[in-house]
Amino acid sequence: MHTRTFSSWFSKPVSDWVGPRLLAALVFLLCLGLTYGAWRNASEVSRQQVQADFDFRVRELAGNIAGRMQTYIQVLHGVQGLYASSQEVTRAEFHTYLAQQQVDLHFPGIHGIGYLPLVNGAARARHEAQMRAEGYPDYVIHPPGERSVHAPVTYLEPVSDSNLLAFGYDILSEPVRRAALEQARDTGLAAMTGKIHLVQDGDHKEVSGFLIVLPVYAHGLALADVQQRRSALRAWVFAPFRMHDLMAGVGGEASRLLDLEIYDGPQLADAALMYDSLPGTLSAQASGTLVSTRLITIAGHAWTLRVRAMPGFGGEALARPRAVAAAGVMISLLLALSTWLLAASRSRARLALARASEMAVQLAQGQASVLAMAEAAQRSQAMLRNILDSTIDGILVDNLAGHIFTSNRRFRDLWQVPDALDWQADGEALVRHVEGQLEQAAPFLGARSDAPQGHRERRDVLHLRDGRVIEQYVRSMQLGNDRARLWTFRDISERNQLERRETTRRQVLEMLATGAPLERLLESVVLGVQADHPAMLCSILLLDDSRHRLVLGAAPSLPAFFNLSSHGHDLDTLIGVHGIAAQAVRSGQRIAVGDLQADGGPPGAMELAWRARLQSCWAEPVRSGSGKVLGVLMAYHRQPMLPGATHLARLGEAAHLAGMAIEQAHVAMALRAGEARFRSLYDHAPVALWEQDWSAVRDALDTLLQSGVGDLAAYWQAHPGELKRLAGLVRIIDANGAALAQVRANLDDQRRGALSLAQNFDDDAMSCFGDALLALSGGAHLFECEGSFVRLDGAVRQNELSLLVMPGHVDSLDFVMVSSLDITERKRMNAELLQLATTDFLTGLPNRRHFMAALENEHARLQRELASCATVLMLDLDHFKRVNDEHGHAVGDAVLRHLGTLMCQELRKVDVPGRVGGEEFAILLPGTDLAAAAVFAERLRRRVADGVLTTDGGVRINSTVSIGMAAMAGTDADCDAVLARADEALYRAKRGGRNRIEQNDGGADGVLSQFMTR
């Protein structure tokens, strides 16, 4: 049976009643419309992308400038730390420290690091003289003029020709520079000047620059307020900068398409322009739409940055819409052509009707493929859900109307969303749930009302009531035809706590290192806890010395009446909220009260907490390193709540920091007291004490040894000036009162460096200094010697020295303690006593004891040198008793002195005379045999006989002498044997008629000559 089909006009294909050409034209126009829409969308996306890229480059450029300046400020903090760790930093130490930093290599743009001492106007001449003495003969403070104080450039590293132009320049003489110095002095922080012209740039007025300064305070002085910081100011360290050198390479390769202008201050004025990356005509080509103005603050000073895009910025993004338009036009042409071809081939399509069955089969196969693709899509969706639930960030997707599309498991865990909450049906219920967990809901609600546009994103930090901190990011996205928002939440509680804890810990340690008072340390700990948890109010209560009372340590945010109610009260008398603190101290355990009104105890006990609007209280004991309770850390909330794990961990760490600060403060107080006692003992010690630094001498010795000098003693003997140079390297660090009195000096002499090693070892005592240097550098801890020194009044004195290397300083010799004792008077008295003990008071000749000692020494020599010889002479004045009887003892004493004088005139230096009796004398002639001795004796006898003594009364006395000689030999048993032989020869001479010489050679008697007196 055949079925007849009837065709109608409406059942015909469009190509039959429209026509191929018209259908192709309609398709072409429709495609052009779609292309126009795609072009508009691509243009908007490109514009947003270029704007976002421009904003990112501006933020990056501002961040690079701020980061580089913060790095340079840290370099200045290092130099400030150098002065904080030393009583005095010399030019050499300053140069060595900055040479290690290699400022000109690692920190481009910085022109140097300098030092500005605070010099009073009255001390200007002394300061200039000191600088000239250090090797700068042309140094003078400029510009000229009388000022009450000066801040001249004294150190400036590296030393270059341009930096030398700034030596002596008074920074305080110029208002812009002076304002920065005063700001740094009063705040204790880094300060930056406005736009200035650097002295180093000479006449190049077009070059802009600025300075950054840091104060240097005197050691040990309080710096709590502005007045104390002004009183403790000692100097400044500073760094000069040129803007063009500083900005070189800051923006990287991307900044070449940006025009950067930096203005001094908040105004965009031509006079305030400090830097223009593209001056002149190039700047005029900058964009008028891509412009950004930012205000940044560096070291307390504001800069205004104006950044404009140059032609070519974002070129690739701007070229994308044109590519979309071109591609759309080409596709439109291709589709129109295809449509015409299809319509034209309709007639040919009828011929393919026979293939309908085959196409039906293919359609069935296509349907099966679609079903398979749907199943694959479901599997992909499940996999995507699993991936989404496995991320570490909480994800939420909603639209601008607040309808929530989806969220992952991590989001529900972060916000503790209950399963019973139907958040997909009621998005506002989820918002209320999140808002209820926040301490401040404004950032979260602001992100919902002000969604970012384009590719921008918004970042906020959310603080939860349980102590957690969550980082929130919001981005716009396109879901089909709807605009949606992608919310990302990440728990940064641990990272935030670590950062804040480390910041608080670093602040406490820095304050401990600088000797800050305990009140400031505890206040820093409290403020650190409150910064982590803004809704928390904290205080620290300390046990007093009796351990029965609580005293206020720090409570910067609590009312004054609340703090006073606990300060100085006995533990047993404290009730209510302060009673909780007393209980925690007594028990040593943590106490947490979630609702003070519910757990208030007796009526009225919590009235104080009610007046201060406090609803909950947590007490954490503060312990020392040994576990001893020192006080309690109190945390209060204005809402009833119990602490979470985050709160407890933060309070525990804060209590540990507070305990460490308290212990360190007690130790510092004890140390300062001990130092004060030691200083008092040191200054009032009866022994002269000197603190000396020999490190430069040790370095010079190492240089000599490395140059090949092996025998230092021989080297110094050949080069005596080298030893004196080494002595000049010794630096006198300190001297006590006894030392200053010993060298006739005062504290002013010590401060201006008038003391040197000459006050221990003068030029004549350089050999003693050399022996001490060899001993101490060789590892000896103690060296004692005697030498001479010069007082400041020029007097040369004798001293006894003890040099002690302090333990731990043997290798460096940077701490040598020297005690000195002036022994000048003692040595003089010893010399006088020795003279009295060895000299005859009448004739000035050696007495019998001294002569016998010389005789014994000669006898010992002859025993060692048997081939040598010596002769002893015994002399006696003839008829001396008659002189005393006739003329008196005064004339007799004059005769004895006359004989002593004649004897000394005839003697050699090696000969030893002596008075051995009343009118008996002896002479030792070393190295002389009997024959030579006889010649000497005869010459002496004649001189005595020829000499006439005339007294003051006009009496003329003519005396003669009898002499006995004996040879001295090493074979004698002792020296008494030769004296006996000489004495025997003398008696023979007297018996033989006097005025003659006899010798005793151990054999027959022998008379050498005879001259009878008249």
Side-chain angles (χ1 to χ4, degrees):
M1 179 177 179
H2 298 280
T3 302
R4 185 176 181 180
T5 60
F6 297 91
S7 61
S8 67
W9 190 80
F10 292 99
S11 63
K12 293 182 179 180
V14 176
S15 59
D16 288 348
W17 52 269
V18 173
R21 292 184 178 86
L22 182 59
L23 180 61
L26 291 175
V27 170
F28 180 71
L29 292 176
L30 178 61
C31 291
L32 285 181
L34 294 175
T35 299
Y36 175 76
W39 174 79
R40 287 288 303 270
N41 185 54
S43 297
E44 178 64 19
V45 171
S46 297
R47 185 191 64 79
Q48 294 177 357
Q49 181 177 354
V50 171
Q51 182 66 44
D53 187 35
F54 176 76
D55 293 339
F56 172 78
R57 296 301 179 188
V58 172
R59 289 196 304 271
E60 181 184 47
L61 187 59
N64 289 344
I65 294 173
R68 174 170 288 189
M69 293 309 301
Q70 190 61 36
T71 301
Y72 293 164
I73 293 174
Q74 287 302 116
V75 173
L76 279 181
H77 274 294
V79 181
Q80 183 189 44
L82 174 66
Y83 279 90
S85 62
S86 176
Q87 290 290 340
E88 180 181 2
V89 178
T90 63
R91 186 180 300 277
E93 292 170 342
F94 190 86
H95 170 75
T96 302
Y97 175 82
L98 290 176
Q100 293 294 327
Q101 297 289 331
Q102 295 182 336
V103 173
D104 52 349
L105 178 62
H106 297 301
F107 305 96
I110 192 168
H111 200 268
I113 301 293
Y115 175 68
L116 306 171
L118 187 64
V119 179
N120 291 328
R124 173 175 179 173
R126 184 169 65 252
H127 171 76
E128 292 177 343
Q130 182 179 355
M131 289 296 296
R132 292 166 184 164
E134 290 181 6
Y136 300 92
D138 298 330
Y139 178 86
V140 64
I141 295 179
H142 60 279
E146 294 295 330
R147 294 179 287 276
S148 60
V149 290
H150 306 274
V153 178
T154 304
Y155 300 167
L156 187 55
E157 294 291 339
V159 178
S160 61
D161 293 339
S162 61
N163 279 343
L164 285 176
L165 294 176
F167 263 44
Y169 181 75
D170 185 2
I171 303 295
L172 285 173
S173 65
E174 198 269 322
V176 177
R177 293 175 170 89
R178 182 174 62 249
L181 294 182
E182 292 174 349
Q183 177 185 348
R185 174 198 65 193
D186 293 344
T187 62
L189 305 175
M192 186 172 73
T193 67
K195 175 183 177 182
I196 62 172
H197 171 69
L198 296 181
V199 181
Q200 292 92 323
D201 293 330
D203 296 330
H204 299 285
K205 300 296 183 180
E206 70 280 4
V207 180
S208 299
F210 62 93
L211 304 180
I212 294 182
V213 298
L214 267 176
V216 177
Y217 297 109
H219 292 254
L221 297 181
L223 304 173
D225 53 29
V226 173
Q227 189 60 40
Q228 290 178 349
R229 287 191 286 271
R230 289 181 178 178
S231 300
L233 182 67
R234 173 184 170 190
W236 294 270
V237 292
F238 77 104
F241 298 84
R242 290 195 187 101
M243 286 301 299
H244 284 82
D245 296 341
L246 173 67
M247 299 305 299
V250 170
E253 182 65 21
S255 64
R256 61 186 179 85
L257 295 178
L258 298 176
D259 178 22
L260 170 63
E261 297 174 353
I262 300 178
Y263 295 86
D264 184 22
Q267 301 298 327
L268 299 178
D270 292 339
L273 180 62
M274 298 180 68
Y275 173 77
D276 189 354
S277 62
L278 297 173
T281 58
L282 293 177
S283 181
Q285 302 175 8
S287 172
T289 57
L290 291 178
V291 180
S292 178
T293 302
R294 287 179 177 266
L295 185 68
I296 63 174
T297 302
I298 300 171
H301 192 78
W303 280 357
T304 300
L305 277 63
R306 185 171 73 170
V307 184
R308 297 183 295 174
M310 297 300 294
F313 184 87
E316 295 180 0
L318 295 176
R320 194 176 298 123
R322 293 192 294 271
V324 171
V329 171
M330 292 300 297
I331 293 174
S332 299
L333 289 173
L334 290 175
L335 288 177
L337 179 62
S338 300
T339 301
W340 179 77
L341 291 175
L342 289 173
S345 61
R346 177 179 176 276
S347 59
R348 293 191 298 272
R350 293 192 184 96
L351 300 176
L353 190 59
R355 300 176 57 189
S357 58
E358 182 180 354
M359 293 179 65
V361 174
Q362 293 177 353
L363 179 61
Q365 293 176 350
Q367 291 177 346
S369 299
V370 169
L371 292 175
M373 292 175 63
E375 293 177 357
Q378 291 178 353
R379 290 194 299 271
S380 299
Q381 186 176 5
M383 182 182 301
L384 181 61
R385 166 57 60 183
N386 291 333
I387 294 174
L388 198 62
D389 288 338
S390 301
T391 58
I392 63 172
D393 294 335
I395 304 297
L396 177 70
V397 181
D398 67 350
N399 61 10
L400 300 181
H403 176 71
I404 298 176
F405 295 125
T406 186
S407 68
N408 67 347
R409 184 182 295 109
R410 179 58 178 165
F411 170 82
R412 297 190 290 276
D413 292 340
L414 278 177
W415 295 103
Q416 301 174 1
V417 179
D419 296 335
L421 182 63
D422 189 5
W423 49 270
Q424 288 183 315
D426 187 2
E428 291 300 323
L430 180 62
V431 171
R432 289 192 297 272
H433 174 76
V434 171
E435 184 179 354
Q437 300 185 53
L438 296 172
E439 290 184 350
Q440 295 180 352
F444 175 71
L445 298 178
R448 295 189 74 241
S449 61
D450 185 16
Q453 301 295 326
H455 295 282
R456 299 181 181 178
E457 67 178 15
R458 171 171 176 160
R459 176 187 179 274
D460 295 287
V461 177
L462 309 178
H463 294 272
L464 277 66
R465 295 180 183 273
D466 60 2
R468 291 182 296 155
V469 180
I470 293 180
E471 191 175 40
Q472 167 188 285
Y473 287 90
V474 183
R475 303 176 182 86
S476 295
M477 60 182 298
Q478 193 77 22
L479 288 180
N481 295 326
D482 293 333
R483 295 288 301 276
R485 290 178 300 201
L486 175 64
W487 300 71
T488 304
F489 301 91
R490 175 172 295 180
D491 190 343
I492 60 171
S493 303
E494 184 176 357
R495 186 186 74 190
N496 188 67
Q497 291 168 6
L498 289 176
E499 291 175 353
R500 290 192 176 274
R501 291 172 187 172
E502 181 61 26
T503 300
T504 303
R505 180 176 176 274
R506 184 168 56 251
Q507 289 177 348
V508 171
L509 293 178
E510 289 177 355
M511 294 171 70
L512 283 173
T514 57
L518 179 60
E519 292 78 6
R520 288 185 57 197
L521 293 171
L522 298 181
E523 184 176 337
S524 178
V525 173
V526 169
L527 293 177
V529 177
Q530 294 180 171
D532 284 348
H533 307 285
M536 187 184 297
L537 303 176
C538 297
S539 68
I540 295 179
L541 302 176
L542 304 178
L543 279 171
D544 65 356
D545 294 337
S546 66
R547 299 187 63 80
H548 294 296
R549 291 182 175 85
L550 285 178
V551 295
L552 183 64
S557 303
L558 289 168
F561 72 88
F562 185 82
N563 294 331
L564 290 175
S565 62
S566 63
H567 180 69
H569 292 277
D570 195 277
L571 292 175
D572 297 330
T573 63
L574 293 173
I575 61 173
V577 66
H578 294 319
I580 297 173
Q583 182 181 354
V585 170
R586 284 193 296 263
S587 64
Q589 302 294 325
R590 178 189 299 125
I591 298 177
V593 179
D595 191 343
L596 291 174
Q597 302 302 325
D599 300 334
M606 293 299 173
E607 180 181 358
L608 195 65
W610 178 80
R611 288 178 57 198
R613 296 185 298 172
L614 303 178
Q615 297 291 326
S616 59
C617 170
W618 311 332
E620 182 75 22
V622 176
R623 301 178 182 273
S624 65
S626 61
K628 180 180 178 181
V629 176
L630 303 175
V632 61
L633 171 63
M634 303 296 295
Y636 307 95
H637 271 268
R638 301 195 185 279
Q639 300 294 332
M641 63 182 301
L642 287 172
T646 304
H647 296 117
L648 295 178
R650 185 67 181 96
L651 290 177
E653 181 170 350
H656 174 71
L657 268 178
M660 183 172 63
I662 295 169
E663 279 194 310
Q664 290 296 326
H666 291 168
V667 170
M669 291 175 60
L671 180 60
R672 286 193 291 270
E675 288 178 348
R677 287 193 297 270
F678 172 78
R679 185 69 200 186
S680 178
L681 291 174
Y682 174 81
D683 288 335
H684 297 90
V687 180
L689 298 175
W690 308 75
E691 292 183 37
Q692 300 178 358
D693 183 359
W694 288 36
S695 56
V697 182
R698 181 57 184 258
D699 295 340
L701 287 181
D702 292 340
T703 302
L704 288 175
L705 293 175
Q706 292 173 4
S707 63
V709 177
D711 189 349
L712 290 174
Y715 178 77
W716 291 334
Q717 188 174 4
H719 304 84
E722 182 66 16
L723 191 58
K724 189 174 181 180
R725 184 185 71 85
L726 293 177
L729 297 177
V730 175
R731 189 163 62 93
I732 305 297
I733 301 175
D734 197 3
N736 69 348
L740 296 177
Q742 186 182 87
V743 298
R744 299 293 191 272
N746 52 40
L747 290 177
D748 290 336
D749 297 324
Q750 181 178 344
R751 293 190 189 99
R752 69 169 186 266
L755 300 179
S756 67
L757 196 64
Q759 277 66 65
N760 295 151
F761 298 96
D762 63 3
D763 293 345
D764 294 334
M766 281 294 103
S767 60
C768 298
F769 169 69
D771 295 338
L773 184 55
L774 287 175
L776 299 183
S777 62
H781 293 77
L782 177 65
F783 182 81
E784 297 179 339
C785 65
E786 290 184 4
S788 55
F789 70 97
V790 180
R791 294 192 316 212
L792 291 190
D793 59 5
V796 178
R797 307 282 289 179
Q798 299 292 318
N799 61 354
E800 187 178 78
L801 295 166
S802 294
L803 291 84
L804 175 65
V805 180
M806 299 307 292
H809 299 266
V810 176
D811 295 333
S812 58
L813 280 181
D814 55 358
F815 191 9
V816 177
M817 182 67 72
V818 179
S819 65
S820 61
L821 179 63
D822 192 334
I823 60 173
T824 306
E825 296 302 321
R826 189 180 74 186
K827 292 182 72 69
R828 182 186 61 78
M829 292 176 62
N830 289 342
E832 290 179 356
L833 291 175
L834 179 62
Q835 184 177 7
L836 291 174
T838 59
T839 305
D840 177 56
F841 74 93
L842 180 61
T843 62
L845 298 177
N847 59 13
R848 180 179 181 86
R849 178 183 298 173
H850 189 195
F851 180 80
M852 293 302 295
L855 200 62
E856 290 177 356
N857 292 336
E858 183 63 18
H859 180 255
R861 185 183 70 83
L862 293 175
Q863 287 180 328
R864 296 190 303 270
E865 303 173 8
L866 296 177
S868 185
C869 61
T871 302
V872 176
L873 280 65
M874 294 292 293
L875 299 83
D876 187 84
L877 280 169
D878 297 331
H879 306 294
F880 180 70
K881 186 176 181 303
R882 185 187 306 167
V883 175
N884 283 334
D885 294 341
E886 294 180 359
H887 305 287
H889 289 283
V891 176
D893 292 343
V895 172
L896 292 176
R897 287 194 295 270
H898 178 64
L899 176 58
T901 302
L902 296 177
M903 289 171 59
C904 291
Q905 292 175 354
E906 295 294 333
L907 294 176
R908 302 171 299 176
K909 288 185 178 181
V910 296
D911 299 336
V912 181
R915 182 184 178 192
V916 297
E919 67 273 15
E920 292 186 357
F921 297 84
I923 299 175
L924 171 62
L925 302 176
T928 306
D929 56 12
L930 282 174
V935 175
F936 166 78
E938 177 60 21
R939 186 168 62 249
L940 177 61
R941 185 197 64 78
R942 288 184 180 221
R943 183 160 187 175
V944 173
D946 295 339
V948 178
L949 174 64
T950 303
T951 65
D952 295 338
V955 179
R956 294 173 57 88
I957 305 296
N958 193 333
S959 304
T960 60
V961 65
S962 298
I963 302 175
M965 299 189 310
M968 189 175 184
T971 55
D972 291 335
D974 52 29
C975 56
D976 290 337
V978 67
L979 285 177
R981 292 197 298 271
D983 198 46
E984 182 183 354
L986 173 62
Y987 285 133
R988 287 207 305 266
K990 293 177 72 70
R991 288 194 300 267
R994 295 184 174 83
N995 194 20
R996 56 191 294 156
I997 300 171
E998 292 279 351
Q999 71 174 7
N1000 188 345
D1001 56 1
D1005 295 340
V1007 178
L1008 298 180
S1009 61
Q1010 176 181 0
F1011 297 89
M1012 302 301 296
T1013 60
R1014 299 179 183 176

